[in-house]
Amino acid sequence: MDYIYDGSFEGLLTAIFEAYYRKQHPDRILPGRNHQRDIFSEVEEISTDFEKFERVYNSIRTKISHESLIKLYYTYLSELPDAGTMIHEYLRLGFKVGRKIDFYLSDDRVLQVENVSRKVSGERHRMLGLLRFHCLKSGVFYGPIEPDFNIAALLAPHFAERLPDQNWVIHDVKRCIGVFYNTTDNQWMVSDFDTNQYNLMKEDSVYQELWKQFFASIAIKNRINPKLQKQHMPIRYWRYLVEKG
């Protein structure tokens, strides 16, 4: 049996709620975009219910731990095809053993979530140092990214604290979503976003050139290590790095 949800975290936890209270063990819990029907699978489409979502959300936080809730959310943000199934299997164990679940790393259900969430957390940490903002004609600072995982919203709290007096946008080009921050109410939000109509202001090219010169001037030629650089700053991120332009 496959449970199909709408792709949101709320929808996923609703599906897990339904599995528990129906006393069913679906083979897979998948977002609609990843599901391909076949003649062998029974399909159950689950409608998102925010009350049921909150019950599961609060149960994870109180009966297991806040740390586990974060790991599960990061696993969801990985967008792996089987992320929902992994989270469901983790919770089946977690609701039995509670806070002790962190000691079950020899269990594949726990180890999978641990490994995936660590990768997502690692990319978030890496992107905090690799994101570059450009000033648009409107005065808004625009930062394009193409991360492996859906981490744009995870970056927002850091930049809301570091740039509270600037209007800015973090644009996930791959997923066509943006995180928007404005100084009027000092809040950020996530929304669909397309920047085909945006142009960088001319003055920005001056600052980009200054940044390139600074980057070149502080480099110690005898210590340049391209192999090590690629380990800490993989080539797939270079497209939006001013200093690599």
Side-chain angles (χ1 to χ4, degrees):
M1 175 180 288
D2 292 345
Y3 272 19
I4 308 302
Y5 68 100
D6 64 2
S8 67
F9 190 57
E10 293 83 357
L12 173 57
L13 294 194
T14 300
I16 291 172
F17 176 97
E18 294 292 349
Y20 181 82
Y21 280 95
R22 295 181 188 183
K23 300 189 184 318
Q24 293 179 334
H25 186 186
D27 297 291
R28 300 183 299 176
I29 298 182
L30 301 169
R33 65 177 181 273
N34 287 345
H35 185 255
Q36 295 181 348
R37 294 181 180 272
D38 59 61
I39 61 175
F40 303 105
S41 299
E42 180 182 349
V43 175
E44 187 73 29
E45 295 189 4
I46 306 298
S47 299
T48 300
D49 185 310
F50 285 93
E51 182 178 346
K52 295 174 181 177
F53 155 73
E54 288 181 353
R55 289 180 64 178
V56 178
Y57 182 95
N58 291 327
S59 293
I60 297 170
R61 187 162 48 84
T62 57
K63 296 180 180 179
I64 305 178
S65 69
H66 181 70
E67 291 73 21
S68 286
L69 182 59
I70 293 174
K71 289 178 184 178
L72 294 178
Y73 184 58
Y74 279 28
T75 300
Y76 160 77
L77 292 177
S78 74
E79 298 182 327
L80 294 174
D82 57 346
T85 308
M86 283 194 289
I87 291 171
H88 179 225
E89 295 297 335
Y90 178 98
L91 288 176
R92 281 171 58 84
L93 175 63
F95 286 135
K96 291 180 181 178
V97 303
R99 296 181 180 275
K100 297 179 181 179
I101 195 167
D102 287 337
F103 296 104
Y104 284 73
L105 285 176
S106 59
D107 190 303
D108 285 343
R109 293 169 291 183
V110 179
L111 186 60
Q112 282 184 323
V113 167
E114 186 74 27
N115 288 339
V116 173
S117 64
R118 188 182 295 118
K119 289 179 181 178
V120 175
S121 177
E123 184 172 50
R124 171 197 170 273
H125 178 74
R126 188 182 302 117
M127 194 60 67
L128 289 176
L130 296 179
L131 176 59
R132 301 289 184 263
F133 285 100
H134 307 271
C135 189
L136 304 180
K137 290 181 178 180
S138 61
V140 174
F141 284 87
Y142 167 72
I145 57 174
E146 290 189 37
D148 295 333
F149 307 121
N150 189 3
I151 61 167
L154 300 181
L155 305 176
H158 172 83
F159 289 104
E161 182 178 348
R162 293 291 298 273
L163 302 171
D165 57 346
Q166 301 290 340
N167 295 316
W168 49 259
V169 178
I170 298 173
H171 179 207
D172 187 331
V173 179
K174 182 191 298 185
R175 296 169 181 82
C176 295
I177 60 174
V179 180
F180 301 82
Y181 175 87
N182 70 79
T183 57
T184 303
D185 52 13
N186 296 321
Q187 293 184 346
W188 56 269
M189 61 173 289
V190 180
S191 180
D192 295 337
F193 187 45
D194 184 6
T195 59
N196 289 334
Q197 74 277 19
Y198 275 75
N199 293 308
L200 296 179
M201 63 189 301
K202 292 181 180 179
E203 289 82 356
D204 186 62
S205 62
V206 176
Y207 294 113
Q208 289 190 38
E209 188 59 35
L210 288 173
W211 174 248
K212 290 178 183 179
Q213 292 177 17
F214 171 74
F215 182 78
S217 67
I218 65 171
I220 301 174
K221 293 183 179 180
N222 293 336
R223 294 187 178 182
I224 293 177
N225 187 336
K227 184 177 180 180
L228 183 63
Q229 186 182 55
K230 291 175 183 177
Q231 288 179 359
H232 292 285
M233 193 169 62
I235 293 177
R236 65 182 181 276
Y237 299 125
W238 289 11
R239 179 178 178 182
Y240 299 110
L241 291 177
V242 175
E243 61 270 29
K244 303 301 293 186

